Amino acid sequence: LLICNQVSKSYRQGSARVPALRQVSLRIGEGEFVALTGPSGSGKSTLLNICGLLDQPDNGELLLAGRPCHGERERVKRRRDEIGFVFQNFGLIPVMSAFENIEYPLLLSGMPAARRKERVERMLDAVGIADFSHHLPDALSGGQRQRVAIARALVKEPPLVIADEPTANLDTATAESMVALMKSLCHGMGVTFLIATHDERMSAHCDRIERIIDGVLS
Amino acid sequence: LLICNQVSKSYRQGSARVPALRQVSLRIGEGEFVALTGPSGSGKSTLLNICGLLDQPDNGELLLAGRPCHGERERVKRRRDEIGFVFQNFGLIPVMSAFENIEYPLLLSGMPAARRKERVERMLDAVGIADFSHHLPDALSGGQRQRVAIARALVKEPPLVIADEPTANLDTATAESMVALMKSLCHGMGVTFLIATHDERMSAHCDRIERIIDGVLS
Ligand SMILES: Nc1ncnc2c1ncn2[C@@H]1O[C@H](COP(=O)(O)OP(=O)(O)OP(=O)(O)O)[C@@H](O)[C@H]1O
Ligand SMILES: Nc1ncnc2c1ncn2[C@@H]1O[C@H](COP(=O)(O)OP(=O)(O)OP(=O)(O)O)[C@@H](O)[C@H]1O
Ligand SMILES: [Mg+2]
Ligand SMILES: [Mg+2]
């Protein structure tokens, strides 16, 4: 489903260049549940942003469902239709409630209101924050915000979910139920997962663990 | 050093009240290294914000070094002089580099420039981001931001450090060195630590583990 070929990315920092990814090649098949681990600063978020069509590599190519992405318009469309993304810092919309944040991707997909409501409420239950559906993000605890971010990424049951440290703020019981939720989508709906994590509680459940150090996939 | 007596706090949410803390009583002695654990949404951040003089309880009292805080002016002063705080979402100043974010508490303390530079560089080394001292927060990885937040809380070697999930975004090796850094300040300088965490790698090293569930300290 996802193929990276010799992907490289570096950042300009003042006069220097920070090499974040060095010729990374990676193949992920449909329905796989893959963990990406590595030290802090090793390039996990950078790689996920490229796989999630949020950013472009300096070199190399990315194929999603066998096809490369040409141009911003196509990237935006495919990102919206084919990928659910859990950001490392959650990326919730501050002026929208938990319910509205989770509903948002469904608005873009043109789903009718009654079905949206039913789908969002199911997700709120699944991540255990039904009682907080009307809270704005600043009226939610860290782990509650993280769970809204997870629910938002999953609500459309997209073919590919990319999650960047999705359990970092969660206690063990909550983390375990998030893993179970993701696995059920994976095995039940064939959703593919690529998860950056240093959390053993998460990587322990993955089919495959890819390791990255200093921008190099080993 | 820190005494909470029957501290209660609830939040208004629309017409409802969300009880976050229920008559919490807690005593922490000088030089103790205490973990506060509990499920997501159980009240950890709320309790830490009160202990850190960032927020006030609805009921009950807080004594810091035996003395209560009266009035905003005194709270600001004592917060600045006596407490280092690691926020769950880091709270870095976006327009300031890693170096400047860590230096900031020293500016408020009137330390001369040469000593400040020396102290900040020591902290940057201690948290392993010396190479990124000039990066702004958005040019840092999640775990690098977290380490800047830790360095900023420790740079003044305050009598009390309050840390809210300080290792959430860190790989195991980095997390272990952060714990070692904090313990050395604790045992070497007698700094007291109150750390909210669900991270076993952290709580395993604490003298004491306090558990909170639904706003009640057991
Ligand atoms: N905009 C940027 N400008 C300069 N350097 C950057 C930028 N974004 C990231 N970097 C650097 O690129 C490297 C890789 O960052 P990345 O966020 O991919 O790491 P990571 O593996 O996700 O780390 P963590 O586990 O701490 O989240 C880091 O050293 C970081 O400082
Ligand atoms: N401003 C607010 N308005 C309304 N409710 C709030 C507000 N801030 C926090 N809460 C609620 O108070 C409860 C306690 O929140 P708190 O942030 O203290 O939990 P926590 O233990 O730190 O959780 P986590 O482990 O997820 O970070 C949560 O249920 C949260 O939704
Ligand atoms: Mg990252
Ligand atoms: Mg919290």
Side-chain angles (χ1 to χ4, degrees), chain A residues 45 48-49 52 54 83-92 145-155 158 160-168 170 178 182 193-196 202:
Chain A
S45 298
L48 262 51
N49 290 346
L54 293 160
I83 303 173
F85 205 105
V86 185
F87 294 88
Q88 189 164 8
N89 59 6
F90 314 156
L92 301 184
R145 291 176 202 165
Q146 186 148 46
R147 285 181 274 161
V148 174
I150 291 170
R152 182 180 62 183
L154 303 181
V155 72
L160 172 63
V161 171
I162 295 177
D164 200 342
E165 314 274 7
T167 56
L170 302 179
M178 290 307 99
M182 294 183 204
F193 281 81
L194 173 58
I195 302 171
M202 171 62 86

Side-chain angles (χ1 to χ4, degrees), chain A residues 13-33:
Chain A
Q13 183 59 30
S15 52
R17 295 206 69 78
V18 180
L21 295 177
R22 310 172 199 254
Q23 292 158 323
V24 169
S25 293
L26 176 67
R27 311 174 69 83
I28 299 182
E30 281 195 39
E32 279 202 272
F33 201 84

Side-chain angles (χ1 to χ4, degrees), chain B residues 34-186:
Chain B
V34 181
L36 173 66
T37 66
S40 171
S42 56
K44 299 182 296 299
S45 297
T46 303
L47 179 56
L48 262 51
N49 291 346
I50 287 169
C51 292
L53 306 182
L54 292 161
D55 203 359
Q56 286 184 287
D58 299 336
N59 291 304
E61 68 171 349
L62 178 86
L63 300 172
L64 182 59
R67 312 192 331 269
C69 263
H70 297 118
E72 191 57 22
R73 179 184 302 283
E74 181 180 1
R75 290 236 306 287
V76 169
K77 180 184 185 328
R78 301 192 71 186
R79 195 193 308 153
R80 190 191 60 223
D81 296 346
E82 301 177 39
I83 303 172
F85 205 106
V86 187
F87 294 88
Q88 189 164 8
N89 59 5
F90 315 155
L92 301 184
I93 299 170
V95 299
M96 287 166 57
S97 70
F99 185 102
E100 293 163 333
N101 266 285
I102 297 167
E103 182 186 36
Y104 187 70
L106 300 179
L107 293 173
L108 305 175
S109 77
M111 187 185 279
R115 275 193 61 215
R116 290 201 309 266
K117 183 177 191 300
E118 184 271 332
R119 180 76 76 91
V120 173
E121 285 172 353
R122 189 149 34 84
M123 287 311 311
L124 284 160
D125 270 330
V127 298
I129 51 169
D131 293 347
F132 299 92
S133 61
H134 301 304
H135 286 232
L136 294 185
D138 68 3
L140 291 172
S141 78
Q144 289 167 338
R145 290 177 203 165
Q146 186 148 47
R147 284 180 275 161
V148 175
I150 291 170
R152 181 180 62 183
L154 303 181
V155 72
K156 284 178 67 172
E157 294 164 1
L160 172 64
V161 171
I162 296 178
D164 199 345
E165 314 275 7
T167 56
N169 284 278
L170 302 179
D171 61 280
T172 295
T174 311
E176 306 246 327
S177 66
M178 289 307 99
V179 176
L181 171 65
M182 294 183 203
K183 292 220 97 174
S184 71
L185 270 174
C186 183

Side-chain angles (χ1 to χ4, degrees), chain A residues 141-144 147 167-175 201, chain B residues 20-21 35-45 47-48 88 164-165 195-200 203 209-218:
Chain A
S141 77
Q144 290 168 337
R147 285 181 274 161
T167 56
N169 284 278
L170 302 179
D171 62 279
T172 294
T174 311
R201 304 170 308 186
Chain B
L21 294 177
L36 173 66
T37 66
S40 171
S42 56
K44 299 182 296 299
S45 297
L47 179 56
L48 262 51
Q88 189 164 8
D164 199 345
E165 314 275 7
I195 302 171
T197 184
H198 59 259
D199 186 343
E200 311 271 322
S203 51
I209 300 183
E210 295 289 339
R211 185 154 181 78
I212 187 169
I213 297 179
D214 279 334
V216 178
L217 208 64
S218 47

